[in-house]
Amino acid sequence: MIGRSGAMAIMLAGTALAHAGPALAAGVSVFPVAPEEPTAVTVRAGGDGKADDTDAIQQALDKARDRTGHGIVFLPSGTYRITRSLIVPAGVRVYGVGQTRPTILLGARTPGFQKGVSTMIVFAGDDQYAVGKVPVPVPTVVPRDKVVRDANSSTFYSAMSNVDIEIGAGNPAAAGVRFRLAQHAFLSHMDMRLGSGFAGVYQAGNVIENVHFHGGRYGIVTEKTSPAWQFTLLDSSFEGQRDAAIREHEVGLTMVNVAIRDTPVGIEVDRGYGDSLWGKDVRFENVSRAAVVISNEKNVFTQIGFENALAAKTPVFARFRDSGKTVAGKGSAYKVSAFSYGLAVPSLGQSGDYATQAEIEALGALPAPRTPAIRDLPPMAEWVNARTLGIAGDGKADDTAAIQKAIDANRVLYFPVGFYRVTDRLKLRPDSVLIGLHPAITQFSINDGNPGHAGLGPVVPIIESPRGGDNILSGLGLFTGRVNPRASALLWRSGENSLVEDVKIMGGGGTPTADGKPLGALTARSGDPVADGRWDAQYPSIWVTDGGGGTFADVWSPNTFAQAGFVVTDTRTPGHVYEMSVEHHARNEIVLDNVENWEFLAPQTEQEVGDGPDAVSLEIRNSRNLLFANYHAYRVTRSYHPAKTAAKLFNSGDIRFRNVHVNGESGYASCDDEGCGTFLRASKYPFDNAIEDVSRGLLVREREFARLDVGPAGGGSNPPPPPAGPAIDKLADGFWSISGAAVDAKGQLYFIDRRFQRIHRWSAAKGLEIVRDHALDPANLAIDGSGHLLVQSSLGAKGGVYSIDPDGPQDQLTVIAPTPVRPGSKARTLLPVNWWNNGEFRDQIDPKTYEFTTLSQMFARDVGTPKEREYVSPDGSLALPAFRTWQQGPTDHVGWRWSDSLNANGLIGGKPGDRVFVTNGSENVTYSALIGTKGTLTDPKAFVNRGGESVAVDRKGRVYVANGQVFVYGPDGSEQGRIDVPERPLQILFGGEDGGTLFILTHHALYATRP
């Protein structure tokens, strides 16, 4: 993301880039001349607004990628008419250059832009998982028969800046940009004049900054981003949309300094969906129906929050779609100091309940707009090309002395694309500004084993800023190498006005290297090829300390070699974090120690399976007065290691958590003989808890919630609340992670410790036994009519099923081949007790009605899909449908296999027509449904808005739901109590000699109770 640059005074004729707030006037060109960038490709086209320039622009885009797969395109001033979709390759950035912003124009009544949704500019992706075929071609390309791979969770660095978009009359299906990207992707400094069009942006991702939407049916319409992470909108405005400024769901919308004017609805969350939506300093003016329309009430994924929102001529601030309730404003102008709707956790150690917070006060008039969240870059007249000062940037020469000399002599340095090798720290002046245009290919880097970073000693960063400095870093990559124990990328002491934006810490995904060689051999099951180096063996990548602060926007820090990605220590200077991604560290992602007055808006963390099994997402020590909003703590789906908590607190308080999302589901692409798809699947190993306050000895089990206030740090430990429900007995412990359980006719419990491939049995008579421990990768169990175990395994290309006699010879088993489903079979059908159905990464919009398929409709569709084959137990009493099994990664034994049944914590059974209870974790809803034919569930009915891990039913018809604790409901869905368990329950089922014992499986222990 390139901050708003000033332009040369002579070219602007005295026009200043004043930004008292989001302006509605046409924007000034932030690049009045083309930066000196020898590797950039410049578009050669007429630009007269009449001739068709599509081919010329597309040729430049296709030519731009270098050996690393990245590139820069310059589009000079002019009006460029296009007649079909432009496809921007992954990793390519497009910058408008010249005294006026260039405009990409869709002429009046352009064929192909009248029906459905058709996008003028499509940001494309690469073959992320090497599946060959395009799993889900982009459906919004014109012409429709052109096959384009959609951007995905590995589409990094793509961007467009300083380019306006205009839609001519008679194009009701037109959308300006399809932008469903991951880290370091942005749209900035754009005006979108939408006219008759559908939207300015259809499918958003990462960051949009200083973009102004005029007219159109909508400004932005979007579903979840390609990595299912947050989307942040900064310093932007909407004016005159016919239906709503923003229409969205599940996108993690985070807004700072956004103005919405002259439209019926400000932000509309789609019917049947929620979102973690957070807005700070959002202004609504003349919004007639509602500032925000909230859907999917009383669901944990509905998390709506605002801080310091302002409104004028907006009579209704919040409208609840389902119930019809409203939260009215106060007078013609008012301020919403705080608004929150969703699951509110009253305090640490407690479960949550749904609540609305609305602190609204009348105003005589709206105050003046605030200053921008992202400050301007200096005027281009002040930029000095570093390559003209004796700096090589070839990845070989030692540029340290030359760069330091340039910093000492010049306030603003522009670094063209190159690899700038350094061997010692670079010290900034108090006013230093360093600028690049593409952090993937504009890097400062340290060679492995550099003498200045070897051995025992204090930190030696690549860049060090002075205390209280007014510094800016923009558009640069920093790589500390693989083995440099004293290295850090950035040691930051600058003041509150300082800015770090569009800066990538190299070492994880998307890391081009100076020598063109990969980071290392993939010797571990990690998302990043870094196993040849020393993990967790450098200082923090970004270390803010000694009174440092400022704004950190669109920063990505995934270097596994560092001890942490972002660390803040010893400061009270305010800090503002917008859309920061910190990933793949072995110990900590984000750490705060002795910190006050910071806010983190849309921070996201991720732990890979190889490098991050023990990593903590967020650790806060000795700190206070902090805000975390739209905080996403994610562990990859492939994880196999349990983890206790996402966030840890030590002696800290006065912390506000807003819109917390702790998850373990991710998307992936796959193809097989039956076709292709891109899927969102859930892991069995997300963090067990959202927050652990170590000092107080309290946990927050809720993993999705809208609001929690942590009070002042106190002396000593506060006792946890007394447990609810009947007494709990621990039957056995010491396991890695257990699930997949089943109960036989005698009430004996069988279960799997997956990591060690053991099948256990527990009975009151004999206690714990090991039934089998062969290396057959068991995943789920069932008991057939003869008392034999039906075992589902993930071993083999598509997994498999076998049968054993638990009391028979250990060298005997029967492999069961899938056979066609038998009509009229008397067998009991086995189905997952927990599902995850959030749709594929296909566009879920109906091109005729413009309505989105809801989550509940997806669930009904998916569980109702017939299976053509099944695994039948040898005695014919059980049938496990052959769910389609997808593989991610290599096609050998290392690949990861996914299906609804393999992903489940356990199986349930019944005959066609039986009504059973299952849970859909992607909605957090427990359903009742009828078992149908061919392995289907029919007539699903939402039972309660709580669900996730497992569900069981007792002899009285009471329903037990495992979701943080065990919640008990009557047959009519009424709440009847809760059973508190010392650890997070994963699977629950009834057994024992009389069937009245509730077995509770956690990762590490087996519990039981008599409810």
Side-chain angles (χ1 to χ4, degrees):
M1 183 174 54
I2 298 297
R4 287 181 294 275
S5 169
M8 287 185 282
I10 188 172
M11 290 187 173
L12 293 181
T15 301
L17 280 179
H19 290 285
L24 293 178
V28 175
S29 175
V30 298
F31 297 107
V33 295
E36 298 175 64
E37 192 58 75
T39 65
V41 175
T42 300
V43 173
R44 307 296 180 187
D48 61 2
K50 298 178 182 179
D52 184 357
D53 291 322
T54 312
D55 284 340
I57 299 174
Q58 190 62 60
Q59 288 172 12
L61 295 172
D62 293 341
K63 185 180 177 182
R65 287 173 52 142
D66 63 12
R67 64 175 176 81
T68 73
H70 305 85
I72 293 173
V73 171
F74 287 150
L75 183 67
S77 297
T79 299
Y80 299 86
R81 187 175 73 88
I82 63 171
T83 56
R84 58 187 185 277
S85 299
L86 296 172
I87 313 302
V88 182
V92 171
R93 293 186 164 191
V94 181
Y95 292 102
V97 295
Q99 296 187 39
T100 59
R101 280 190 196 166
T103 296
I104 297 177
L105 169 68
L106 184 69
R109 291 167 289 280
T110 299
F113 291 85
Q114 283 70 49
K115 294 182 180 180
V117 180
S118 301
T119 37
M120 295 169 58
I121 302 166
V122 175
F123 282 81
D126 284 328
D127 193 352
Q128 180 179 12
Y129 296 113
V131 297
K133 302 175 186 177
V134 177
V136 182
V138 175
T140 60
V141 173
V142 176
R144 291 288 194 253
D145 59 356
K146 184 176 179 63
V147 177
V148 175
R149 189 181 302 276
D150 206 358
N152 52 53
S153 59
S154 69
T155 307
F156 313 130
Y157 307 113
S158 304
M160 178 172 282
S161 182
N162 201 47
V163 177
D164 289 350
I165 289 175
E166 185 170 341
I167 298 175
N171 296 300
V177 181
R178 183 184 181 95
F179 198 70
R180 203 174 197 176
L181 294 92
Q183 290 100 326
H184 279 289
F186 60 82
L187 302 176
S188 67
H189 318 306
M190 303 175 71
D191 277 88
M192 296 196 181
R193 299 178 287 276
L194 306 177
S196 64
F198 175 66
V201 173
Y202 175 66
Q203 305 293 13
N206 211 50
V207 173
I208 293 179
E209 184 251 320
N210 192 32
V211 176
H212 306 282
F213 301 84
H214 310 273
R217 184 172 178 182
Y218 303 98
I220 296 174
V221 177
T222 187
E223 304 170 64
K224 54 182 174 284
T225 66
S226 61
W229 296 333
Q230 309 97 311
F231 157 53
T232 295
L233 181 65
L234 304 169
D235 297 335
S236 296
S237 66
F238 300 80
E239 177 189 33
Q241 282 70 49
R242 297 187 294 277
D243 286 10
I246 302 172
R247 179 183 173 190
E248 59 92 8
H249 62 260
E250 294 191 326
V251 78
L253 176 60
T254 307
M255 298 177 290
V256 181
N257 194 34
V258 173
I260 296 174
R261 304 182 178 103
D262 303 327
T263 184
V265 175
I267 306 114
E268 177 181 356
V269 181
D270 286 300
R271 182 182 304 276
Y273 284 95
D275 189 33
S276 49
L277 186 163
W278 176 261
K280 178 185 176 183
D281 301 329
V282 182
R283 297 170 69 97
F284 301 93
E285 299 180 51
N286 195 28
V287 179
S288 58
R289 185 166 182 263
V292 58
V293 174
I294 300 170
S295 301
N296 212 24
E297 298 165 49
K298 291 193 173 182
N299 186 280
V300 296
F301 294 104
T302 297
Q303 305 166 6
I304 310 295
F306 290 90
E307 182 177 278
N308 194 40
L310 298 168
K313 297 182 180 179
T314 303
V316 174
F317 183 75
R319 183 179 298 276
F320 293 85
R321 182 194 301 273
D322 302 326
S323 67
K325 296 178 181 178
T326 60
V327 175
K330 292 188 177 180
S332 61
Y334 57 91
K335 173 182 177 180
V336 183
S337 300
F339 180 89
S340 176
Y341 173 76
L343 192 76
V345 178
S347 63
L348 293 164
Q350 300 291 317
S351 297
D353 204 353
Y354 295 93
T356 301
Q357 175 196 32
E359 299 177 9
I360 303 176
E361 61 181 296
L363 300 174
L366 295 187
R370 57 159 284 178
T371 57
I374 307 301
R375 63 184 287 193
D376 296 343
L377 294 183
M380 286 191 70
E382 299 181 19
W383 294 18
V384 176
N385 185 342
R387 289 291 188 90
T388 66
L389 303 176
I391 300 170
D394 61 3
K396 299 176 182 178
D398 183 354
D399 286 324
T400 312
I403 295 175
Q404 188 63 61
K405 183 178 178 181
I407 289 172
D408 294 341
N410 301 275
R411 174 176 171 252
V412 184
L413 290 175
Y414 170 68
F415 290 84
V417 165
F419 291 84
Y420 299 86
R421 178 177 166 238
V422 298
T423 55
D424 201 352
R425 76 184 73 209
L426 301 169
K427 293 187 176 182
L428 302 184
R429 296 171 14 171
D431 59 352
S432 290
V433 177
L434 308 185
I435 300 169
L437 292 184
H438 201 309
I441 47 179
T442 312
Q443 293 185 29
F444 292 6
S445 62
I446 306 170
N447 285 357
D448 287 346
N450 180 58
H453 295 87
L456 182 66
V459 60
V460 181
I462 294 178
I463 295 175
E464 180 176 346
S465 73
R467 182 178 173 90
D470 187 31
N471 303 108
I472 299 176
L473 294 185
S474 177
L476 298 171
L478 304 175
F479 183 38
T480 53
R482 301 167 183 83
V483 183
N484 287 305
R486 295 178 62 189
S488 172
L490 183 61
L491 187 62
W492 196 254
R493 297 187 177 93
S494 300
E496 183 180 4
N497 198 45
S498 64
L499 174 66
V500 177
E501 51 135 7
D502 191 31
V503 168
K504 164 70 185 295
I505 306 302
M506 297 295 165
T511 296
T513 53
D515 58 10
K517 297 178 181 178
L519 284 176
L522 187 59
T523 56
R525 289 185 176 184
S526 169
D528 299 312
V530 294
D532 283 355
R534 287 187 61 215
W535 291 348
D536 192 19
Q538 295 179 0
Y539 282 98
S541 291
I542 301 175
W543 189 355
V544 184
T545 191
D546 192 21
T551 297
F552 298 79
D554 200 7
V555 171
W556 184 16
S557 184
N559 184 7
T560 311
F561 307 127
Q563 72 177 67
F566 190 75
V567 173
V568 187
T569 61
D570 301 323
T571 184
R572 295 182 180 178
T573 302
H576 312 275
V577 173
Y578 307 131
E579 191 81 16
M580 176 180 283
S581 179
V582 186
E583 308 175 309
H584 306 319
H585 297 88
R587 193 180 349 156
N588 295 106
E589 305 292 354
I590 299 172
V591 177
L592 281 69
D593 194 344
N594 194 25
V595 176
E596 299 182 30
N597 309 319
W598 276 63
E599 62 177 8
F600 288 74
L601 309 186
Q604 170 265 322
T605 66
E606 176 185 286
Q607 288 77 54
E608 255 294 352
V609 62
D611 48 53
D614 299 307
V616 173
S617 166
L618 170 65
E619 193 161 289
I620 305 174
R621 313 164 188 158
N622 310 306
S623 299
R624 53 202 46 81
N625 193 23
L626 305 172
L627 168 66
F628 294 86
N630 273 6
Y631 162 51
H632 285 205
Y634 162 64
R635 304 183 85 223
V636 297
T637 317
R638 299 178 296 276
S639 295
Y640 65 92
H641 190 300
K644 185 176 182 180
T645 188
K648 277 189 174 183
L649 312 182
F650 297 84
N651 188 35
S652 297
D654 297 321
I655 304 172
R656 292 179 295 143
F657 287 97
R658 298 292 184 269
N659 297 6
V660 170
H661 179 54
V662 176
N663 65 318
E665 74 278 356
S666 63
Y668 62 92
S670 186
C671 291
D672 62 14
D673 294 339
E674 299 179 59
C676 298
T678 57
F679 301 94
L680 191 70
R681 283 292 181 261
S683 169
K684 294 184 181 182
Y685 302 97
F687 290 108
D688 278 3
N689 304 284
I691 301 169
E692 178 186 11
D693 191 312
V694 178
S695 302
R696 294 179 171 94
L698 297 173
L699 295 167
V700 176
R701 292 269 179 93
E702 304 282 12
R703 292 194 291 223
E704 305 284 341
F705 59 88
R707 178 161 52 101
L708 167 66
D709 291 326
V710 178
S717 173
N718 296 330
I728 300 287
D729 295 322
K730 181 186 287 187
L731 303 182
D733 63 7
F735 305 109
W736 179 276
S737 181
I738 56 176
S739 62
V743 172
D744 68 10
K746 300 177 182 178
Q748 299 178 117
L749 178 73
Y750 293 83
F751 59 92
I752 294 165
D753 193 348
R754 182 77 179 274
R755 175 68 176 82
F756 295 106
Q757 306 184 72
R758 292 192 182 110
I759 300 175
H760 290 279
R761 177 169 58 199
W762 190 92
S763 64
K766 293 185 178 181
L768 186 67
E769 301 174 80
I770 297 176
V771 174
R772 294 287 190 277
D773 62 351
H774 301 317
L776 300 177
D777 203 5
N780 273 308
L781 304 175
I783 313 293
D784 69 13
S786 59
H788 291 180
L789 288 177
L790 189 77
V791 186
Q792 184 186 24
S793 165
S794 63
L795 193 64
K798 295 293 183 181
V801 178
Y802 61 93
S803 174
I804 60 172
D805 180 353
D807 296 314
Q810 295 204 17
D811 63 342
Q812 294 183 13
L813 63 80
T814 301
V815 177
I816 302 172
T819 53
V821 172
R822 302 166 298 165
S825 169
K826 302 293 186 182
R828 298 175 71 246
T829 300
L830 297 171
L831 292 168
V833 71
N834 62 303
W835 300 71
W836 187 278
N837 295 86
N838 193 255
E840 298 187 12
F841 279 88
R842 298 177 183 270
D843 294 11
Q844 297 293 340
I845 199 168
D846 186 320
K848 295 181 180 179
T849 66
Y850 291 97
E851 293 295 325
F852 286 93
T853 304
T854 66
L855 288 173
S856 58
Q857 289 169 337
M858 290 182 205
F859 178 74
R861 177 193 66 197
D862 292 349
V863 301
T865 301
K867 318 301 182 295
E868 297 304 321
R869 298 168 74 80
E870 63 186 0
Y871 298 93
V872 180
S873 64
D875 69 354
S877 65
L878 293 180
L880 174 63
F883 288 87
R884 190 171 181 181
T885 302
W886 297 89
Q887 183 161 327
Q888 177 185 1
T891 57
D892 61 14
H893 65 282
V894 177
W896 301 84
R897 293 157 186 81
W898 312 102
S899 72
D900 288 323
S901 53
L902 283 173
N903 286 13
N905 286 323
L907 304 174
I908 58 168
K911 293 185 177 180
D914 288 349
R915 185 163 287 276
V916 295
F917 288 87
V918 296
T919 179
N920 181 13
S922 67
E923 293 183 90
N924 203 68
V925 171
T926 295
Y927 284 88
S928 73
L930 298 175
I931 293 181
T933 58
K934 291 191 171 184
T936 61
L937 286 172
T938 65
D939 191 32
K941 297 180 179 179
F943 179 68
V944 292
N945 268 335
R946 186 176 281 277
E949 283 85 355
S950 185
V951 60
V953 183
D954 71 9
R955 294 166 296 182
K956 298 178 181 178
R958 294 179 297 186
V959 180
Y960 297 72
V961 177
N963 184 228
Q965 302 287 5
V966 178
F967 296 84
V968 187
Y969 300 91
D972 60 353
S974 60
E975 295 185 23
Q976 295 198 354
R978 191 180 78 220
I979 302 172
D980 286 355
V981 185
E983 303 173 57
R984 187 180 192 91
L986 300 179
Q987 186 186 8
I988 54 176
L989 67 170
F990 279 93
E993 293 182 0
D994 63 353
T997 297
L998 180 65
F999 291 112
I1000 303 171
L1001 285 72
T1002 70
H1003 280 305
H1004 306 301
L1006 172 64
Y1007 296 90
T1009 187
R1010 301 281 297 181

